[in-house]
Amino acid sequence: MNDKSPSRAAAWLVCALVAAALYGNYYVYDSIGPVADALQRQRGFSDQQVGLLNAIYSLPNVVLILVGGVLVDRFGAARVTVWTAAVCFLGAALTALSPDFAGMAAGRLLFGIGAETFGIATLAALAQYFVGGQVAFAMGLALSIGRLGSFSSDMSPTWFAHAYAQGWQPPLLIATAMAGASFAGALLYAWMDRRIAAADKGPMEKQGQPFVWRDLLHFGRAYWFLLALCVLWYSVILAFRSTFSIKYFQHAHGLDLASAGAMNSYVFLAAVFATPAFGWLCDRAGRYAPFLAFGAVLLPVAIATMALSSASLWISTALIGISFSLVPAVMWPLASRLVSPQRFGTAIGLMWVAQNAGIAGANLVAGWLNDRAGASAQNPAGYEPMMLFFGLASVAGAVAALTLWLTAGRKEQERAPPHR
């Protein structure tokens, strides 16, 4: 950090506030899965409608995430964090209070408009306060706390059983309260940022990474394989885990709601601790593509184990947990090695755009397949087309990862240390 930067204690306090804000944001994102069955039983929603509640989160970000990066560069991380946290809070409230599907969908759309740009702003804040050291650790720690929000959302049927017993709405009101807490954390961070800026009497280093279309011409083949893996892997993980897995566990494997939510939650709980550990291991080994390929291959193995065998769900959950911990720990450092530091922001921006398009599409396709096949507790075989779809997509992602490993070569895997 430069001479005018705040103390290390202040930087870690900012990290804590950002992490708290991320916790609430992640909780709201994953709040649909635990109430999916109740929305069908009590409100008559189809699986396609349930899938749309999460797909509509991603749809605006196919374009708006590029705008979000420009806003962060133009107005600063602190302001944009507050603005987007407020939008997320309003979106969560509209989702919980709406009397019909259209209102809930509008709420999720509003939440999605704020949430991804919120994510960019929080990472930019950490990059600003940890210039010169520990930025990767700070980001990893904040994201791990965010994942605890996802774990908490999955565990909410157990922790807030009384609320779930009252129907679909009380759990979503709890999610709204979490969004309010996230907004409060963002306000505290912005207040602290203003005080630090006033005391320093000088701006801290900015981390702007504008999106430039012509930079795409300079990306090599290895980057495009990485982008394909990013789209396919995240589409399967998030569409299944965040939207349909709890219903699938209930209807196809006979778990009750609390047990299904707990089973699903362990994927994120494992990632909270394992992701930093895997990142440390890859840094020590100096190799990224082989670890990435291994993590990607585990996902189709887990889907096949879950759908085609009578093996315990703990086996497939463990495999998904390892994959979910390993792939993100490797993907972003590898991206920084496959493109130059000057184009790193463009590369990540494009990956996030494509990722959101893939997640939205996967949610819609999976919901349509379930409705078409009549998937339900009375017809668990109706989930087979959805699982086949997820299986084929995860296989395609694994092929992209293996091709990346085989074609990138040691030179691309072992460039200079990742850009910070």
Side-chain angles (χ1 to χ4, degrees):
M1 302 176 71
N2 57 39
D3 292 338
K4 293 182 178 294
S5 294
S7 68
R8 184 61 61 185
W12 282 112
L13 181 54
V14 166
C15 181
L17 292 171
V18 166
L22 283 171
Y23 176 94
N25 193 267
Y26 276 53
Y27 186 102
V28 177
Y29 176 80
D30 283 291
S31 62
I32 296 299
V35 297
D37 185 61
L39 289 173
Q40 283 192 318
R41 289 186 290 102
Q42 298 170 14
R43 308 203 75 181
F45 289 2
S46 67
D47 258 14
Q48 196 164 7
Q49 287 177 309
V50 172
L52 182 60
L53 291 178
N54 270 351
I56 203 169
Y57 165 97
S58 299
L59 286 173
N61 292 304
V62 174
V63 175
L64 290 182
I65 199 166
L66 301 181
V67 178
V70 173
L71 290 176
V72 171
D73 291 338
R74 173 67 178 83
F75 296 103
R79 287 184 181 179
V80 177
T81 299
V82 171
W83 296 344
T84 53
V87 171
C88 290
F89 179 45
L90 293 175
L94 181 58
T95 302
L97 299 174
S98 293
D100 53 25
F101 173 77
M104 291 189 72
R108 292 295 287 182
L109 175 65
L110 188 61
F111 176 73
I113 289 172
E116 289 292 282
T117 299
F118 173 85
I120 293 178
T122 54
L123 291 179
L126 294 174
Q128 180 181 351
Y129 275 86
F130 288 88
V131 175
Q134 294 185 298
V135 63
F137 177 70
M139 288 183 180
L141 182 61
L143 292 174
S144 292
I145 298 300
R147 285 175 172 173
L148 280 177
S150 293
F151 169 76
S152 300
S153 185
D154 282 344
M155 289 298 294
S156 60
T158 299
W159 294 350
F160 306 113
H162 179 68
Y164 278 85
Q166 298 178 54
W168 63 271
Q169 190 172 49
L172 294 182
L173 291 174
I174 293 173
T176 302
M178 294 294 183
S182 176
F183 180 45
L187 284 172
L188 286 172
Y189 151 58
W191 173 78
M192 184 172 178
D193 180 79
R194 178 176 295 185
R195 289 197 55 170
I196 290 172
D200 290 339
K201 299 184 179 357
M204 287 173 287
E205 183 176 346
K206 297 185 69 174
Q207 300 292 314
Q209 294 289 348
F211 188 93
V212 182
W213 285 103
R214 65 176 177 271
D215 285 350
L216 304 183
L217 301 175
H218 302 286
F219 296 154
R221 286 188 306 161
Y223 168 81
W224 296 106
F225 287 127
L226 185 65
L227 183 144
L229 169 63
C230 177
V231 173
L232 293 163
W233 185 86
Y234 271 106
S235 295
V236 174
I237 280 283
L238 293 186
F240 177 69
R241 203 216 68 83
S242 296
T243 308
F244 296 105
S245 58
I246 292 178
K247 278 180 76 268
Y248 174 73
F249 292 160
Q250 289 177 268
H251 295 171
H253 290 272
L255 274 61
D256 59 38
L257 175 59
S259 299
M263 179 69 68
N264 202 42
S265 71
Y266 288 117
V267 172
F268 267 117
L269 182 62
V272 168
F273 303 101
T275 299
F278 280 133
W280 177 86
L281 179 62
C282 294
D283 282 335
R284 293 281 294 179
R287 303 293 299 272
Y288 289 80
F291 286 96
L292 186 68
F294 176 69
V297 167
L298 290 181
L299 184 56
V301 173
I303 296 292
T305 301
M306 193 183 305
L308 303 177
S309 76
S310 58
S312 170
L313 281 176
W314 284 108
I315 296 175
S316 55
T317 298
L319 293 174
I320 291 176
I322 296 172
S323 179
F324 190 75
S325 301
L326 182 53
V327 171
V330 180
M331 183 179 293
W332 310 118
L334 180 58
S336 70
R337 293 179 174 228
L338 295 179
V339 299
S340 67
Q342 293 76 18
R343 300 188 181 99
F344 182 66
T346 300
I348 295 300
L350 180 59
M351 289 173 72
W352 281 30
V353 167
Q355 178 194 111
N356 276 282
I359 294 168
N363 271 292
L364 293 174
V365 170
W368 175 78
L369 289 172
N370 285 347
D371 288 339
R372 187 170 181 268
S376 66
Q378 292 71 39
N379 180 32
Y383 287 100
E384 290 176 2
M386 178 189 74
M387 297 304 288
L388 177 61
F389 165 67
F390 284 140
L392 292 175
S394 62
V395 167
V399 169
L402 289 168
T403 306
L404 169 62
W405 179 18
L406 295 174
T407 61
R410 188 178 182 88
K411 181 178 179 180
E412 284 181 308
Q413 296 177 32
E414 298 182 354
R415 288 184 177 183
H419 174 59
R420 291 289 184 258

